[in-house]
């Protein structure tokens, strides 16, 4: 994460690189005993020029792609791989930023971009573009519309914190909504836990809400 933000400054810049990778062993899949659960690299860059008070004229670039091959269960069919799909969103609009007085407890931003371009691209012929809302016979889809992005980092107590990202893009014929939530708990000096919840809706593919949930425990030691 690279951030440059000061309420007294005329410009702001933020770049967040995020890599999510996780896997698990299973006996239910007779072809692939090792399954990929989280498999995503994303880049989120935002530049702002101060308009008034906590509002900024902003431009944002968001891109994400899988990193490793993912397969359908009990099948050699590839669901996803690097740059298949690649999703890119470029938007221009207004951004509101708020930081609590102690500058550590709560950081919030809300951006509305009425001018937005969205690209979906599949570079690998093993992956079916239609499964990602791309028209039959094509490898890419270009859409123009509006984007809304909301981010929150809140240290709710010394032992509990919440990070969230709400993203919505509409081409006025379809809607994509993603809501990522991560709750971190410091159970003791040595143990921690994390709850991850990620509901997603994309009616360019289907009209169902998809939900990914994960609970993890960790061991911490400092010396």
């Amino acid at each position: 994460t690279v951030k440059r933000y000061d309420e007294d400054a005329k410009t702001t810049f933020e770049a967040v690189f995020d890599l999510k990778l996780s896997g698990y062993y299973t006996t239910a899949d007779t072809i692939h005993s090792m399954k990929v659960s989280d498999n995503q690299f994303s880049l989120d860059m935002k530049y702002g020029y101060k308009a008034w008070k906590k509002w900024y004229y902003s431009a944002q670039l968001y891109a994400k792609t899988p990193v490793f091959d993912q397969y359908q269960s009990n099948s050699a069919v590839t669901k996803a791989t690097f740059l298949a799909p690649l999703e890119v969103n470029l938007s221009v609009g207004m951004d509101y930023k708020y930081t609590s007085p102690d500058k550590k407890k709560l950081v919030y931003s809300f951006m509305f971009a009425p001018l937005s371009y969205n690209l979906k691209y599949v570079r690998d012929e093993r992956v079916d573009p239609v499964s990602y809302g791309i028209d039959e016979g094509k490898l890419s889809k270009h859409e123009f519309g509006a984007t809304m992005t909301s981010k929150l980092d809140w240290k709710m107590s010394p032992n509990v914190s919440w990070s969230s990202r709400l993203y919505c893009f509409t081409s006025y014929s379809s809607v994509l909504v993603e809501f990522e939530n991560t709750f971190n708990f410091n159970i003791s000096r040595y143990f921690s836990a994390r709850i991850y919840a990620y509901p997603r809706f994309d009616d360019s593919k289907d009209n169902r809400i998809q939900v990914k949930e994960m609970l993890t425990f960790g061991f911490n030691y400092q010396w």
Side-chain angles (χ1 to χ4, degrees), residues 5-13 47-58 94-95 97:
Y5 170 54
D6 186 338
E7 290 189 359
D8 297 325
K10 285 289 185 180
T11 62
T12 65
F13 176 76
Y47 173 82
Y49 184 84
K50 194 165 189 175
W52 68 90
K53 294 185 178 180
K54 300 180 183 295
W55 287 92
Y56 294 78
Y57 304 109
S58 293
M94 297 294 296
D95 188 24
K97 297 179 181 292

Side-chain angles (χ1 to χ4, degrees), residues 10 12 25 36 41 57 59-60 79 89 104 123 129 173 187 210 213-214:
K10 285 289 185 180
T12 65
Y25 286 97
V36 176
F41 171 77
Y57 304 109
Q60 184 175 34
K79 292 173 56 180
N89 179 270
K104 293 182 179 180
R123 70 157 186 90
S173 61
I187 301 173
Q210 299 173 320
E213 299 172 317
M214 187 178 300

Side-chain angles (χ1 to χ4, degrees), residues 2 11 46 56 72 75 79 96 125 139 166 196 210-211:
V2 178
T11 62
K46 186 191 297 182
Y56 294 78
Q72 295 182 10
S75 171
K79 292 173 56 180
Y96 172 82
E125 62 182 12
L139 298 178
L166 175 62
Y196 176 74
Q210 299 173 320
V211 180

Side-chain angles (χ1 to χ4, degrees), residues 30-49:
T30 58
I31 299 178
H32 309 284
S33 58
M34 179 66 182
K35 301 285 287 183
V36 176
S37 179
D38 285 315
N39 179 27
Q40 179 180 290
F41 171 77
S42 65
L43 167 64
D44 192 349
M45 299 178 64
K46 186 191 297 182
Y47 173 82
Y49 184 84

Side-chain angles (χ1 to χ4, degrees), residues 148-191:
M148 186 275 289
T149 306
S150 173
K151 295 181 180 179
L152 173 71
D153 289 299
W154 182 14
K155 191 172 181 61
M156 305 168 70
S157 72
N159 296 319
V160 181
S161 63
W162 173 31
S163 296
S164 74
R165 175 182 175 272
L166 175 62
Y167 171 81
C168 177
F169 171 79
T170 177
S171 62
Y172 305 109
S173 61
S174 62
V175 176
L176 167 65
V177 180
E178 299 178 336
F179 190 26
E180 294 185 87
N181 296 273
T182 303
F183 296 89
N184 292 296
F185 303 88
N186 293 322
I187 301 173
S188 68
R189 181 180 176 183
Y190 301 106
F191 295 97

